[in-house]
């Protein structure tokens, strides 16, 4: 809801949002350069108490560009003015990067280093606030948004970003808060070390911060990201609105559009939730009704829903990387983990994951074992066939 409000405000203020197909990258001088991935990091429950300022992700992006302007290359800065560089826990980092005024103009660097020239922005994950933030940033900077994302859904940890699974170097990376602090990582031993360090920083600054990684190339997006995910989200919303207009079930519309499966309909009978270590963790229980009367479904979550099982036999009926989603039983409106509460009438659906997340290499990072579930207890079985969409924006 917050992301939607930010987009509407952007449009009301005259901002222009433009979405392009990934194939458009590199086809014109304006679209030649790198793509900035912008996102928020933290626990979603914090948003109920602490709204975003709207500058966090742009400040993180500026920090990454300032690092390049200071001669960043392979974990080193040729100009270390304003940088107290530290090492520990598998990362080389700066607690708060403040370059000298002479370093803050990146224009000359942009002319010679294509990795600094940002031609477009992209979503890290097509879920929640992070699906909307690139639209806001793109409008503010006059940049198009690429019709793709790094997950095809949302995941709670940074190493689960598609290009990272394929070995992309995330550095330089920056995390910025609403008060102007800019934490940076220059080098990391692994993507998990990146997650661990930035998670600790995020907790210290209030569990909400803007995040930017090293920019992506067009080739990296085409080979290791989920393409046309904005188009997919638009089509899914269109199917639900079409169901409203025709007086048919929005739940059936979602399942028909995505090839998913209905797990249960019923009433939320219990929610246990806490914000710990920068995550919203907990358990949801839904008491079945109608065809599911007498059954109770339990869902474990960590920002996102991880594993669903019926209490009667403890049998797992869905797990990551397939998308377990909770929607309003009447309207089909999605209900995020931070919005769950006792008494809501809901439907739980499971939708197929994109093939990018279902390879053995990816399952090692985003499958149930990556979240600590024993292999003998939880085994990923795809719910169905993922259907590929065509982009709404034109290809070249």
């Amino acid at each position: 809801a917050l992301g939607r409000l930010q987009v509407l405000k952007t449009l009301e203020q005259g901002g222009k949002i433009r979405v392009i197909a990934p194939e458009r990258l590199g086809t014109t001088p304006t679209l030649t350069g790198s793509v900035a991935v912008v996102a928020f990091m933290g626990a979603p429950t914090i948003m109920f108490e602490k709204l975003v300022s709207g500058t966090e992700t742009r400040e993180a992006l500026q920090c990454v560009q300032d690092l390049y302007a200071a001669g960043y290359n392979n974990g080193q800065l040729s100009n270390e003015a304003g940088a107290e560089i530290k090492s520990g826990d598998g990362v080389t980092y700066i607690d708060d990067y403040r370059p000298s005024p002479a370093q803050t103009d990146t224009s000359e660097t942009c002319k010679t280093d294509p990795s600094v020239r940002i031609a477009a922005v992209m979503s890290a994950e097509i879920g929640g606030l992070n699906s909307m933030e690139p639209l806001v940033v793109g409008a503010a900077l006059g940049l198009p948004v690429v019709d793709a994302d790094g997950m095809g859904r949302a995941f709670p940890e940074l190493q689960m970003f598609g290009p990272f699974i394929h070995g992309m170097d995330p550095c330089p990376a920056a995390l910025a808060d609403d008060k102007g602090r800019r934490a940076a990582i220059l080098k990391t031993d692994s993507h998990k070390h990146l997650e661990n360090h930035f998670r600790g920083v995020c907790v210290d600054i209030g569990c909400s911060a803007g995040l930017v990684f090293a920019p992506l190339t067009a080739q990296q997006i085409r080979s290791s990201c989920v393409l046309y995910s904005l188009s997919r989200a638009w089509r899914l919303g269109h199917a639900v609105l079409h169901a409203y207009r025709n007086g048919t079930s929005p739940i059936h519309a979602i399942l028909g559009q995505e090839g998913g499966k209905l797990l249960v309909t019923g009433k939320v009978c219990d929610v246990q939730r806490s914000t710990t270590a920068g995550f919203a963790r907990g358990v949801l229980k839904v008491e079945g009704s109608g065809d599911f009367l007498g059954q109770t479904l339990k869902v474990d979550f960590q920002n996102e829903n991880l594993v669903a099982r019926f209490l009667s036999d403890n049998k797992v009926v869905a797990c990551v990387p397939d998308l377990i989603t909770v929607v309003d039983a009447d309207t089909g409106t999605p209900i995020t983990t931070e919005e769950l509460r006792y008494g809501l009438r809901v439907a739980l659906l499971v939708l197929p994951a994109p093939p990018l997340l279902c390879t053995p290499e990816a399952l090692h990072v985003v499958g149930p074992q990556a979240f600590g579930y024993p292999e003998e207890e939880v085994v990923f079985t795809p719910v169905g066939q993922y259907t590929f969409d065509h982009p709404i924006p034109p290809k070249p």
Side-chain angles (χ1 to χ4, degrees), residues 117-251:
R117 185 188 183 279
I118 303 301
V121 295
M122 190 188 83
S123 172
E125 57 183 14
I126 192 75
L129 177 61
N130 281 339
S131 64
M132 298 284 101
E133 184 63 12
L135 304 177
V136 177
V137 173
L141 300 180
L143 296 173
V145 181
V146 179
D147 189 6
D149 81 293
M151 299 178 181
R153 47 161 297 158
F155 277 118
E157 300 188 26
L158 301 184
Q159 73 274 13
M160 299 170 180
F161 182 58
F164 293 171
I165 295 173
H166 287 77
M168 171 199 155
D169 186 353
C171 297
L175 196 70
D177 70 2
D178 57 332
K179 302 192 175 52
R181 177 179 170 182
R182 308 194 311 176
I185 293 181
L186 305 180
K187 193 173 183 179
T188 180
D189 291 349
S190 72
H191 299 100
K192 182 61 175 174
H193 284 98
L194 174 88
E195 157 67 28
N196 292 343
H197 180 81
F198 269 168
R199 187 67 56 180
V201 174
C202 192
V203 170
D204 287 343
I205 60 181
C207 281
S208 177
L211 173 70
V212 170
F213 309 125
L216 298 177
T217 65
Q219 180 54 39
Q220 286 172 325
I221 290 173
R222 292 166 190 154
S223 63
S224 60
C225 290
V226 179
L227 305 184
Y228 318 138
S229 49
L230 282 170
S231 292
R232 188 180 197 90
W234 184 91
R235 286 193 174 96
L236 181 56
H238 183 73
V240 171
L241 293 176
H242 190 72
Y244 291 168
R245 186 177 64 188
N246 292 340
T248 57
S249 166
I251 307 300

Side-chain angles (χ1 to χ4, degrees), residues 53-90:
S53 71
T55 63
E56 293 92 338
T57 54
R58 276 175 278 169
E59 192 64 36
L61 176 56
Q62 186 61 56
C63 182
V64 168
Q65 292 187 293
D66 288 344
L67 288 167
Y68 280 116
Y72 176 86
N73 184 37
N74 195 28
Q76 303 291 325
L77 289 180
S78 60
N79 185 342
E80 296 185 5
E84 184 182 349
I85 300 175
K86 303 177 181 179
S87 295
D89 296 326

